[in-house]
């Protein structure tokens, strides 16, 4: 949560190193390497499985924190408190190459189809230490020892998607077009939307079935688009709504075309047709500004 606050990506807790974005990339890589080693780890006879779960959660916390901090670069603004006479102005949009690098890191590391794939036997090995969760406490009656990777990943992806498509970020991206020396040096909403679509909906081109966790993320993406089209907040920029509408039309056509492919299974086709229908309904529905 502390990583989300503010507009300057270089003013965050836990952003170590002279290049915070490079540091964040390394944190993600280290977590992935940790998970690969955990999946290859052979426990000694008598060793508890909870060591795997604790180590997995440690890596997941690092990824969650790094993802939130990386998202701050998209639409971010460097803020300094210099007075006149120095080469620094108070407000400077994050350079385009940094924003694109951050967006690519999120697209390939957080939203990609293979970002959170593990061996089934590894997921079945997520044991717990009952002393850690306090099962002896009468207040722990609602605890379940089950492990849901799907819920963990969706919560992470939903949080990052919420950051990137927040009203504040959308407004700063639109505003940055007149704060840079040339319009082509600003990250556009079109580019942001296209990058998210290509990563979240990569199966549209890849073909084949769409696994459940991917359908969860895609529904969340659809929900955010439909909400902006039907019940945008007062702070949602009008230009952003226009571009969301354009995105909805394009994505509806793409999902409908993908559903017609003979290589899809029944659940995937139903999901794609439902996605197209959701977007069609949102495009036809009257828009109601919340709080107006």
């Amino acid at each position: 949560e502390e990583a989300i606050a503010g507009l300057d990506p270089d003013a965050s807790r836990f952003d170590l190193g002279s290049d915070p974005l490079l540091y964040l990339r390394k944190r993600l890589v280290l977590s992935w390497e940790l998970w690969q080693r955990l999946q290859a780890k052979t426990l000694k006879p008598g060793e508890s499985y909870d060591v795997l779960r604790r180590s997995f959660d440690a890596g997941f916390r690092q990824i969650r924190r790094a993802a939130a901090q990386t998202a701050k670069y998209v639409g971010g603004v460097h803020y300094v408190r210099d007075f006149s006479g120095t080469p620094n102005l108070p407000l400077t949009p994050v350079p385009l190459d940094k924003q694109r690098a951050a967006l690519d890191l999120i697209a390939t590391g957080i939203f990609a189809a293979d970002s959170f794939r593990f061996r089934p036997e590894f997921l079945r090995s997520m044991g717990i230490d009952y002393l850690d969760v306090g099962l002896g406490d009468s207040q722990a009656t609602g605890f379940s020892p089950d492990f849901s990777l799907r819920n963990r990943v969706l919560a992470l992806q939903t949080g990052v998607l919420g950051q990137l498509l927040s009203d504040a970020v959308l407004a700063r991206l639109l505003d940055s077009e007149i704060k840079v020396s040339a319009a082509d040096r600003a990250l556009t909403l079109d580019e942001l939307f296209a990058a998210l679509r290509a990563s979240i909906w990569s199966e549209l081109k890849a073909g084949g079935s769409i696994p459940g966790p991917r359908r969860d993320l895609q529904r969340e993406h659809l929900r955010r688009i439909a909400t902006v089209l039907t019940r945008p907040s007062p702070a949602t920029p009008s230009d952003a709504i226009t571009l969301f509408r354009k995105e909805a039309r394009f994505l509806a056509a793409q999902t409908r075309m993908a559903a017609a492919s003979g290589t899809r299974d029944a659940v995937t086709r139903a999901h794609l047709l439902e996605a197209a229908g959701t977007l069609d309904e949102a495009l036809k529905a009257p828009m109601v500004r919340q709080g107006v």
Side-chain angles (χ1 to χ4, degrees), residues 38 40-53 125 127:
L38 284 177
K41 181 180 178 65
T42 301
L43 298 181
K44 300 176 182 178
E47 189 174 3
S48 175
Y49 282 105
D50 68 88
V51 65
L52 297 179
R53 188 158 179 166
S125 301

Side-chain angles (χ1 to χ4, degrees), residues 99-154:
Q99 294 195 57
R100 282 176 171 166
L103 186 56
D104 179 70
L105 183 56
I106 291 171
T108 57
I110 305 300
F111 292 146
D114 59 352
S115 293
F116 298 96
R117 286 186 177 174
F118 298 91
R119 291 162 48 197
E121 56 269 28
F122 175 69
L123 297 179
R124 296 199 302 269
S125 301
M126 294 290 104
I128 60 169
D129 185 338
Y130 287 92
L131 295 178
D132 285 347
V133 298
L135 283 186
D137 190 336
S138 60
Q139 296 181 357
T141 55
F143 173 78
S144 170
D146 197 10
F147 175 84
S148 176
L149 175 69
R150 186 166 175 172
N151 289 342
R152 278 173 164 82
V153 171
L154 181 61

Side-chain angles (χ1 to χ4, degrees), residues 219-236:
R219 290 190 189 99
E220 183 62 28
H221 187 221
L222 290 172
R223 186 185 69 78
R224 293 183 179 275
I225 294 175
T227 298
V228 170
L229 295 183
T230 58
R231 296 187 62 83
S233 76
T236 305

Side-chain angles (χ1 to χ4, degrees), residues 60-284:
F60 200 84
R61 284 194 296 271
Q62 291 295 325
I63 283 189
R64 185 173 60 240
R65 180 179 295 165
Q69 290 178 310
T70 301
K72 285 184 67 176
Y73 280 85
V74 179
V77 177
H78 294 305
Y79 175 71
V80 297
R81 300 183 181 182
D82 287 21
F83 294 96
S84 61
T86 72
N88 299 317
L89 297 175
L91 300 171
T92 305
V94 171
L96 178 58
D97 61 334
K98 285 281 189 180
Q99 294 195 57
R100 282 176 171 166
L103 186 56
D104 179 70
L105 183 56
I106 291 171
T108 57
I110 305 300
F111 292 146
D114 59 352
S115 293
F116 298 96
R117 286 186 177 174
F118 298 91
R119 291 162 48 197
E121 56 269 28
F122 175 69
L123 297 179
R124 296 199 302 269
S125 301
M126 294 290 104
I128 60 169
D129 185 338
Y130 287 92
L131 295 178
D132 285 347
V133 298
L135 283 186
D137 190 336
S138 60
Q139 296 181 357
T141 55
F143 173 78
S144 170
D146 197 10
F147 175 84
S148 176
L149 175 69
R150 186 166 175 172
N151 289 342
R152 278 173 164 82
V153 171
L154 181 61
L156 164 64
Q157 293 173 330
T158 298
V160 175
L161 189 61
Q163 274 187 258
L164 295 175
L165 298 180
S166 67
D167 290 335
V169 169
L170 298 176
R172 286 202 297 268
L173 285 173
L174 291 169
D175 198 42
S176 66
E177 296 175 2
I178 58 174
K179 288 183 178 178
V180 294
S181 57
D184 59 0
R185 299 184 64 180
L187 184 71
T188 65
L189 290 190
D190 259 343
E191 184 173 348
L192 171 62
F193 290 174
L196 293 178
R197 182 193 338 115
S199 182
I200 294 173
W201 295 89
S202 60
E203 292 87 353
L204 297 184
K205 290 185 177 180
S209 64
I210 301 178
R214 294 289 292 169
R215 297 197 299 270
D216 289 342
L217 173 59
Q218 291 166 2
R219 290 190 189 99
E220 183 62 28
H221 187 221
L222 290 172
R223 186 185 69 78
R224 293 183 179 275
I225 294 175
T227 298
V228 170
L229 295 183
T230 58
R231 296 187 62 83
S233 76
T236 305
S238 296
D239 282 345
I241 297 174
T242 299
L243 292 174
F244 268 111
R245 190 170 294 277
K246 171 188 173 185
E247 180 70 9
R249 292 193 184 97
F250 183 82
L251 189 54
Q254 292 293 305
T255 51
R256 189 175 290 105
M257 183 167 35
S261 170
T263 62
R264 312 281 182 177
D265 61 79
V267 175
T268 296
R269 284 198 300 271
H271 166 68
L272 293 172
L273 289 174
E274 181 184 35
T278 297
L279 293 170
D280 288 341
E281 291 176 4
L283 287 165
K284 296 175 183 177

